Amino acid sequence: MTFTDAIRRCFRKYVTFSGRAPRPEYWYFILFLFLGGIATSILDGLLFGSGSVETAPGSVTAQSDGGPLYALFSLATLLPMLAAGWRRMHDTGRSGLYLLYPIIVWVGIAGFAGMIGATDAALTGDFAAAFAGIIFAIAVIIAIFSPLIVIWWLTRPTQPGPNVYGPNPYEASS
């Protein structure tokens, strides 16, 4: 599969979350998104300025938010990116929901942090505060490593033969 074939296939399957996507299809599309993000950021800078703001006399601070072209590109490619990742997870024999694992972990940690903040007054002993701190530290470590686990899953080879998500893309005739 070539770079252009992968891009064409991912846009053809714009919101197709069923089936399987082989590694080249997914990673070439991710490369396209990365290069497209750089290109639109450069165009935004050339067409709309550098995005810097004078916060105090003589002090210029650069803003990190993208411009309108970058925002449009990101919005237009969000669903195909999610669909390609979903199909890539299917190709490795996992549910597409595994792609959302880091988001689920971060929401859980935010909820846990809110729970700790809400019950902070109820924690009267040092043991309870220490226990909550240890649990929170473990949750933060999991949150740091969860995106790496998803990337590792996305790099796994194609599951041989058909699986519950469809036939092997290398064995199926297109």
Side-chain angles (χ1 to χ4, degrees):
M1 173 170 291
T2 65
F3 182 72
T4 54
D5 289 339
I7 296 166
R8 195 174 301 121
R9 183 177 293 178
C10 286
F11 278 119
R12 210 171 336 144
K13 296 182 175 186
Y14 198 86
V15 290
T16 304
F17 289 84
S18 61
R20 296 167 66 168
R23 274 191 290 193
E25 178 182 328
Y26 176 75
W27 289 108
Y28 278 146
F29 191 65
I30 293 300
L31 177 62
F32 165 74
L33 295 176
F34 178 74
L35 295 175
I38 291 172
T40 54
S41 293
I42 290 170
L43 283 172
D44 277 333
L46 293 173
L47 296 173
F48 303 109
S50 64
S52 60
V53 175
E54 187 172 337
T55 56
S59 174
V60 175
T61 304
Q63 292 180 332
S64 62
D65 56 346
L69 296 178
Y70 179 79
L72 286 174
F73 178 77
S74 297
L75 187 61
T77 57
L78 176 66
L79 287 176
M81 177 189 63
L82 288 173
W86 203 273
R87 291 190 315 270
R88 178 71 198 118
M89 284 295 188
H90 286 175
D91 193 47
T92 64
R94 293 174 181 82
S95 168
L97 288 172
Y98 281 79
L99 190 65
L100 304 177
Y101 178 66
I103 296 170
I104 294 166
V105 169
W106 293 332
V107 167
I109 288 175
F112 183 74
M115 183 182 70
I116 288 177
T119 61
D120 195 29
L123 297 176
T124 56
D126 289 337
F127 176 74
F131 181 72
I134 290 170
I135 297 296
F136 187 71
I138 291 170
V140 168
I141 290 170
I142 291 170
I144 290 169
F145 285 107
S146 64
L148 299 174
I149 292 168
V150 171
I151 290 171
W152 184 75
W153 286 333
L154 291 168
T155 62
R156 300 295 80 213
T158 295
Q159 188 180 38
N163 65 18
V164 296
Y165 304 107
N168 185 331
Y170 291 118
E171 297 170 357
S173 60
S174 308

